[in-house]
Amino acid sequence: GQNIDQPTEMTATEGAIVQINCTYQTSGFNGLFWYQQHAGEAPTFLSYNVLDGLEEKGRFSSFLSRSKGYSYLLLKELQMKDSASYLCAVRDRDYKLSFGAGTTVTVRA
Amino acid sequence: GAVVSQHPSWVICKSGTSVKIECRSLDFQATTMFWYRQFPKQSLMLMATSNEGSKATYEQGVEKDKFLINHASLTLSTLTVTSAHPEDSSFYICSASGGEVLAFFGQGTRLTVV
């Protein structure tokens, strides 16, 4: 099974940078995903890491270290619309995703 | 990215009735579809894994006779909540995966049982 931990909530100022950490313990790692979820909506895909290193996609970047069971999602140039829950999810070899509890990010003006 | 369409977006039903939720992959063949449930302010919990042409695999604690899953084709899976009760009110979300296609989610279905 998977054991996934991420902080419950974070607050940052518009224009700032926030880093959301995720640690996991898994049997059969097959990729790590980050999703954004606004209240009442389904999660939307942000990033995918299966090899160690940094994946950059616009204002969002995600990092993975498989040996440490660690990932982070970096949000740059924060905007008000980035206020949402961010979900870390680990996929196993059966392609099942297990989710962390989510990190609620609040962006303040 | 790949498109997964889920229908309906929301449904209200009377206690004791059944509700069917559809999940379609629109531009790829989904060999595997997953059904999740999310209660307010909680994360997504996997209910079952559905492979095309075979029986679904249910997670521990999920009643297979209550949550009927059918994956008859590579583009369609359905979840039927049978004899729904108020405690079944939740946000149900499907995701689809196929080959190199990463896991994308449908829009979700808000079920309210009254």
Side-chain angles (χ1 to χ4, degrees):
Chain A
Q2 328 284 8
N3 186 13
I4 302 167
D5 290 312
Q6 54 182 124
T8 304
E9 54 187 15
M10 304 180 75
T11 302
T13 307
E14 199 173 12
I17 298 173
V18 69
Q19 178 174 314
I20 306 171
N21 296 324
C22 173
T23 58
Y24 63 90
Q25 295 173 315
T26 182
S27 53
F29 178 81
N30 190 22
L32 187 141
F33 294 74
W34 284 97
Y35 290 89
Q36 179 192 62
Q37 186 178 27
H38 285 100
E41 299 180 9
T44 55
F45 171 79
L46 290 179
S47 70
Y48 168 68
N49 295 72
V50 66
L51 300 176
D52 291 350
L54 186 68
E55 293 283 340
E56 297 187 85
K57 189 183 292 185
R59 293 189 299 113
F60 295 171
S61 303
S62 59
F63 172 83
L64 174 68
S65 169
R66 289 171 295 170
S67 62
K68 295 182 180 178
Y70 168 70
S71 172
Y72 67 73
L73 179 69
L74 195 69
L75 314 180
K76 295 180 280 189
E77 301 170 18
L78 278 175
Q79 301 175 8
M80 299 299 288
K81 66 178 182 180
D82 297 330
S83 292
S85 180
Y86 291 85
L87 307 175
C88 173
V90 175
R91 184 170 68 180
D92 66 17
R93 300 202 183 282
D94 293 326
Y95 291 88
K96 287 198 290 188
L97 282 177
S98 296
F99 285 84
T103 299
T104 300
V105 172
T106 302
V107 181
R108 293 184 173 164
Chain B
V3 179
V4 178
S5 176
Q6 187 173 339
H7 178 81
S9 300
W10 59 271
V11 59
I12 301 174
C13 71
K14 290 184 177 181
S15 186
T17 61
S18 296
V19 174
K20 180 184 283 188
I21 303 169
E22 292 187 349
C23 180
R24 294 181 184 273
S25 57
L26 298 185
D27 55 359
F28 69 100
Q29 293 184 327
T31 51
T32 306
M33 288 188 176
F34 302 90
W35 288 95
Y36 296 84
R37 180 168 52 183
Q38 186 177 35
F39 291 105
K41 298 190 177 182
Q42 295 186 23
S43 192
L44 283 76
M45 296 301 296
L46 180 66
M47 298 175 65
T49 302
S50 163
N51 291 299
E52 186 265 339
S54 62
K55 290 183 178 180
T57 302
Y58 291 81
E59 296 299 301
Q60 193 171 8
V62 178
E63 301 174 57
K64 62 179 181 180
D65 294 330
K66 180 171 185 62
F67 299 99
L68 302 179
I69 292 173
N70 183 280
H71 193 163
S73 76
L74 285 171
T75 58
L76 174 64
S77 177
T78 61
L79 167 68
T80 301
V81 183
T82 62
S83 186
H85 292 285
E87 58 265 31
D88 298 324
S89 298
S90 186
F91 192 46
Y92 292 86
I93 311 172
C94 70
S95 77
S97 177
E100 294 298 315
V101 176
L102 304 179
F104 289 88
F105 286 87
Q107 302 95 316
T109 299
R110 173 89 40 208
L111 171 64
T112 302
V113 184
V114 298

